[in-house]
């Protein structure tokens, strides 16, 4: 007879060996704050991410059984990644900053491999009678809700999952299964209290009072998911963030005096800052060589060139004027043209 409680213990040990710092098991019930998620979508705060509002995915987020037939449990996992070392107020002319999570090999690939190992572990120890399906940030799963339901942590005011003594620099992943593993008690404590640091520090004021964000104003959305022109009113708020934004995490008090946790994500492939003038000169082939193995690939060349031009305009970086003018003349893409023209105007205004 299958000893399910011991299997859960062994599975957790295997998860720790693979580099996950936390594992919890939640029932496959509607996750916490699903109603708030629906209201968030209905308010249009998901911006142009239309996949979040499709009726089929909305239904699946409420019922994992629509994803995996007979699903009884959601195994929630967290894997830490290193924070940025440069302080928030550091600047480097001509350079653009990337979010901490984006410096290594694409985390989706790394975590999928590890989840595959865990899936094989479950199937082997249940003699192939168990169904499993894994996700890393790509499926219709309310990850933070299930992580809270599994006892791992809770979403902060900036919407990031906060784990006591670990903070929020973690990737989340899930394994859906029909195996009736013992569930963990949910995490119910509020870890933010009256703190407003993330709200006050957000460059665009996108953090809303109800622990959601207006994605259309979030720098992570604007620099990655958004494929169009960045509104002029938000260009100046981009600062030097080339890909993503870590401001709300960098100011969070849960990261003060938190020891650096080991990670099994591999060595960094990218520095914290990237030379923007060199980036402007990249064609598609050079861009692919430099970034295809990393999360920066998601923004595509068009997005990163756009972001780079805006940052150079924000920095009033005079040495970038000639390459920006050349790109404006040579690249017909209206998104890139808009960013270059805006940056040139900013630099010429500073130069007199």
């Amino acid at each position: 007879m299958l000893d399910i409680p011991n299997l859960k213990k062994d599975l957790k040990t295997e998860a720790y060996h693979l580099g996950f710092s936390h594992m919890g098991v939640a029932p496959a019930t509607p996750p916490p704050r699903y109603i708030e998620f629906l209201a968030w979508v209905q308010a249009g705060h998901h911006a142009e991410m239309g996949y979040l509002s499709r009726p089929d995915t909305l239904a699946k987020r409420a019922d994992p059984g629509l994803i995996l037939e007979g699903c009884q449990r959601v195994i929630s996992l967290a894997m830490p990644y290193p924070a940025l070392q440069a302080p928030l107020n550091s600047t480097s002319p001509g350079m653009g900053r990337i979010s901490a999570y984006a410096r290594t090999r694409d985390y989706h690939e790394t975590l999928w491999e590890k989840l595959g190992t865990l899936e094989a572990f479950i199937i082997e120890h249940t003699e192939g009678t168990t169904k499993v399906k894994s996700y890393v940030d790509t499926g219709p799963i309310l990850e933070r809700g299930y992580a809270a339901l599994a006892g791992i942590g809770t979403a902060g005011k900036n919407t990031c999952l906060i784990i006591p003594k670990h903070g929020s620099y973690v990737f989340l992943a899930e394994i859906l299964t029909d195996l009736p593993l013992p569930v963990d008690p949910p995490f119910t404590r509020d870890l933010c209290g009256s703190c407003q640091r993330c709200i006050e520090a957000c460059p665009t004021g996108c953090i809303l009072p109800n622990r959601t964000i207006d994605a259309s104003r979030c720098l992570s959305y604007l620099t990655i998911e958004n494929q169009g022109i960045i509104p002029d009113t938000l260009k100046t708020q981009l600062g030097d963030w080339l890909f993503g934004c870590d401001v709300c995490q960098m100011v969070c008090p849960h990261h003060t005096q938190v020891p650096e946790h080991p990670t099994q994500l591999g060595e960094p492939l990218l520095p914290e800052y990237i030379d923007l003038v060199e980036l402007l000169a990249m064609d598609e082939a050079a861009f692919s060589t430099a970034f295809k193995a990393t999360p920066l690939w998601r923004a595509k060349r068009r997005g990163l060139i756009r972001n780079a031009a805006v940052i150079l305009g924000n920095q009033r970086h005079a040495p970038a004027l000639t390459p920006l003018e050349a790109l404006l003349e040579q690249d017909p893409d209206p998104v890139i043209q808009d960013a270059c023209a805006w940056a040139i105007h900013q630099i010429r205004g500073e130069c007199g």
Side-chain angles (χ1 to χ4, degrees):
M1 183 176 178
L2 182 62
D3 187 341
I4 295 181
N6 272 332
L7 176 57
K8 177 186 174 182
K9 292 179 183 177
D10 293 341
L11 181 64
K12 183 174 287 190
T13 298
E14 182 70 12
Y16 291 164
H17 286 162
L18 290 169
F20 293 99
S21 59
H22 295 77
M23 187 193 99
V25 178
T29 55
R33 293 180 62 79
Y34 176 71
I35 299 302
E36 288 84 350
F37 174 77
L38 286 180
W40 178 77
V41 169
Q42 290 166 359
H45 290 316
H46 61 304
E48 298 299 319
M49 295 180 286
Y51 58 89
L52 293 174
S53 61
R54 289 198 339 246
D56 61 321
T57 62
L58 290 175
K60 289 175 181 177
R61 289 178 198 278
D63 181 6
L66 296 176
I67 302 172
L68 180 73
E69 186 178 359
C71 182
Q72 295 195 55
R73 299 290 184 262
V74 177
I75 303 169
S76 184
L77 299 131
M79 177 170 286
Y81 62 87
L84 295 175
Q85 298 302 307
L88 180 58
N89 59 358
S90 65
T91 58
S92 185
M95 306 295 283
R97 188 176 224 167
I98 63 174
S99 188
Y101 79 86
R103 296 183 60 213
T104 61
R105 175 192 180 208
D106 189 338
Y107 65 94
H108 296 93
E109 301 295 332
T110 302
L111 266 66
W112 272 326
E113 291 172 1
K114 295 178 183 295
L115 289 172
T117 300
L118 291 178
E119 285 185 357
F121 183 93
I122 294 171
I123 292 171
E124 177 186 351
H125 286 77
T126 57
E127 299 181 349
T129 62
T130 298
K131 291 187 288 187
V132 291
K133 185 173 181 61
S134 297
Y135 284 115
V136 182
D137 169 22
T138 53
I141 301 288
L142 290 183
E143 294 187 302
R144 287 157 292 182
Y146 280 111
L149 200 57
I152 292 177
T154 189
K157 291 180 180 178
N158 64 358
T159 77
C160 294
L161 187 84
I162 301 173
I163 302 175
K165 300 182 180 179
H166 275 72
S168 59
Y169 290 105
V170 293
F171 296 122
L172 297 177
E174 299 77 37
I175 302 176
L176 278 59
T177 180
D178 60 353
L179 183 67
L181 295 167
V183 299
D184 291 289
F187 195 102
T188 57
R189 286 192 293 133
D190 176 15
L191 296 176
C192 293
S194 61
C195 180
Q196 299 281 315
R197 292 188 194 180
C198 61
I199 296 172
E200 295 167 354
C202 177
T204 63
C206 76
I207 302 175
L208 304 177
N210 61 348
R211 302 197 183 212
T212 64
I213 62 171
D214 179 353
S216 68
R217 298 181 59 82
C218 175
L219 295 189
S220 286
Y221 169 80
L222 288 169
T223 59
I224 303 172
E225 300 294 335
N226 170 41
Q227 296 298 307
I229 292 171
I230 297 175
D232 287 353
T233 54
L234 295 176
K235 284 186 173 81
T236 56
Q237 307 306 311
L238 201 68
D240 61 357
W241 288 102
L242 176 68
F243 183 92
C245 174
D246 285 348
V247 171
C248 65
Q249 295 192 91
M250 296 174 83
V251 301
C252 178
H254 285 283
H255 295 125
T256 59
Q257 300 179 342
V258 172
E260 185 173 332
H261 299 285
T263 179
Q264 293 190 28
L265 294 168
E267 292 299 315
L269 300 179
L270 298 173
E272 293 189 13
Y273 285 90
I274 291 178
D275 189 301
L276 300 176
V277 174
E278 288 184 5
L279 183 57
L280 292 182
M282 285 187 180
D283 58 16
E284 290 288 355
F287 177 83
S288 178
T289 299
F291 302 120
K292 190 167 186 179
T294 75
L296 273 67
W297 179 253
R298 183 169 180 81
K300 305 302 182 188
R301 174 184 174 273
R302 171 203 229 186
L304 282 192
I305 294 292
R306 172 201 61 194
N307 300 345
V310 171
I311 294 169
L312 290 166
N314 283 333
Q315 295 175 344
R316 311 295 199 274
H317 191 59
L321 191 56
T322 298
L324 283 168
E325 291 172 334
L327 193 59
L328 179 63
E329 181 178 346
Q330 298 165 9
D331 198 311
D333 190 310
V335 171
I336 292 178
Q337 287 208 339
D338 171 83
C340 288
W342 184 86
I344 291 167
H345 177 77
Q346 298 297 106
I347 296 170
R348 283 179 175 164
E350 179 71 14
C351 294

